[in-house]
Amino acid sequence: YSRDAEGSWFRSLFVHKVDPRKDAHSNLLSKKETSNLYKIQFHNVKPECLEAYNKLTEEVLPKLHSDPDYPCDLVGNWNTWYGEQDQAVHLWRFSGGYPALMDCMSKLRQNKEYLDFRKERSRMLLSRRNQLLLEFSFWNEPQPRQGPNIYELRTYKLKPGTMIEWGNNWARAIKYRQENQEAVGGFFSQIGELYVVHHLWAYRDLQSREETRNAAWRKRGWDENFSYTVPLIRTMESRIMIPLKISPLQ
């Protein structure tokens, strides 16, 4: 092992102490200049229904996205390619935070087309779950992009009490992962399963993903920041996803 590698390994044995805070980590880590709230949905679809599910989704969801009366925007829509199979992932943005979310939910309860959509969709699903998320202040805000791309959603479940330290380390580490504009968005959960982090990346293909990730390890400082986050993680998961036709992230 090189001296640098040995030092990084030794430092990874210790979790940095976090200074006592008098504010919620949501206020310390999220963007102050926006009041965006995100919702991520995971739908496990019956294998024989995936094509019909995608068609139904592509007919209905863009109407909500384009309707100015609904304060919600589609950020991205995908099918999982590698990872949990026959799964759809949807990411929404509510501009205006919780009031916008509640306004949207109230209007949807009166929207017959949407209620019919949910009823038909329910016949195609095995299970579904969602989370409400805030975006990290140091990540890019997700913006529509042209394709073709594949997307990787990396999900980390952290030890309770370590979110501040995670954010502090990634605020430094993200600079090593932006040269190819692969960093799409970074989020942490507020409602649903807690202490969950989602990092969303875009690549041209799997080979590009491999080359981009390997290039980061050749940059001095990336390994050190990475090693500090390892002790904070309980579990981690990677999904490779293909965008649906309606997805603003292509």
Side-chain angles (χ1 to χ4, degrees):
Y1 295 105
S2 69
R3 187 182 300 274
D4 287 344
E6 189 176 53
S8 295
W9 174 83
F10 182 77
R11 285 189 293 270
S12 72
L13 298 178
F14 303 93
V15 177
H16 289 183
K17 296 296 183 182
V18 180
D19 292 336
R21 301 287 185 177
K22 295 183 179 179
D23 203 354
H25 66 248
S26 58
N27 293 331
L28 296 168
L29 294 172
S30 61
K31 294 184 177 179
K32 302 296 188 298
E33 65 272 18
T34 67
S35 56
N36 291 334
L37 179 70
Y38 291 81
K39 179 171 72 173
I40 192 167
Q41 299 173 298
F42 299 95
H43 291 171
N44 292 316
V45 186
K46 296 177 182 178
E48 67 274 16
C49 295
L50 186 60
E51 184 176 348
Y53 170 93
N54 287 341
K55 182 178 179 181
L56 181 65
T57 296
E58 291 168 350
E59 289 175 355
V60 177
L61 295 191
K63 297 178 182 178
L64 299 178
H65 174 74
S66 60
D67 191 332
D69 288 337
Y70 289 84
C72 60
D73 299 302
L74 287 176
V75 177
N77 311 82
W78 303 270
N79 285 151
T80 299
W81 185 23
Y82 288 100
E84 194 162 358
Q85 296 293 282
D86 304 306
Q87 186 178 71
V89 180
H90 306 286
L91 184 62
W92 294 86
R93 180 193 295 115
F94 297 87
S95 300
Y98 290 107
L101 171 69
M102 298 308 296
D103 181 33
C104 190
M105 295 299 101
S106 177
K107 290 176 179 177
L108 287 176
R109 285 194 289 268
Q110 309 301 320
N111 185 324
K112 184 179 184 304
E113 182 180 12
Y114 183 76
L115 295 176
D116 290 342
F117 157 73
R118 287 194 59 176
K119 185 175 181 180
E120 185 174 356
R121 186 189 66 183
S122 67
R123 302 189 183 102
M124 305 178 185
L125 298 182
L126 294 169
S127 65
R128 59 193 180 100
R129 60 186 175 90
N130 59 26
Q131 293 172 332
L132 293 181
L133 313 171
L134 295 177
E135 55 186 334
F136 284 112
S137 59
F138 48 85
W139 272 76
N140 306 327
E141 183 173 339
Q143 297 294 334
R145 65 172 66 194
Q146 295 182 342
N149 295 292
I150 63 170
Y151 289 82
E152 181 175 18
L153 183 67
R154 295 181 71 87
T155 299
Y156 304 88
K157 297 180 181 180
L158 305 183
K159 298 175 182 177
T162 60
M163 187 66 73
I164 294 292
E165 185 171 0
W166 178 274
N168 288 342
N169 279 289
W170 267 97
R172 295 187 294 269
I174 193 64
K175 65 182 180 181
Y176 300 105
R177 296 296 311 275
Q178 291 182 321
E179 289 184 2
N180 297 324
Q181 298 183 336
E182 70 267 24
V184 178
F187 313 91
F188 58 98
S189 62
Q190 282 290 284
I191 294 180
E193 190 172 7
L194 299 179
Y195 284 95
V196 177
V197 170
H198 299 288
H199 291 175
L200 183 61
W201 309 91
Y203 305 100
R204 291 193 308 275
D205 50 39
L206 288 175
Q207 182 61 35
S208 174
R209 171 186 177 273
E210 181 75 5
E211 293 169 356
T212 299
R213 288 172 56 82
N214 287 342
W217 284 101
R218 294 192 290 269
K219 298 173 183 176
R220 184 176 179 86
W222 164 256
D223 60 338
E224 181 175 335
N225 281 301
F226 183 84
S227 67
Y228 286 147
T229 64
V230 172
L232 312 179
I233 300 171
R234 282 185 163 177
T235 64
M236 56 190 298
E237 181 180 4
S238 170
R239 291 176 176 85
I240 302 297
M241 308 184 302
I242 303 297
L244 300 184
K245 295 176 182 178
I246 61 171
S247 177
L249 290 170
Q250 284 294 313

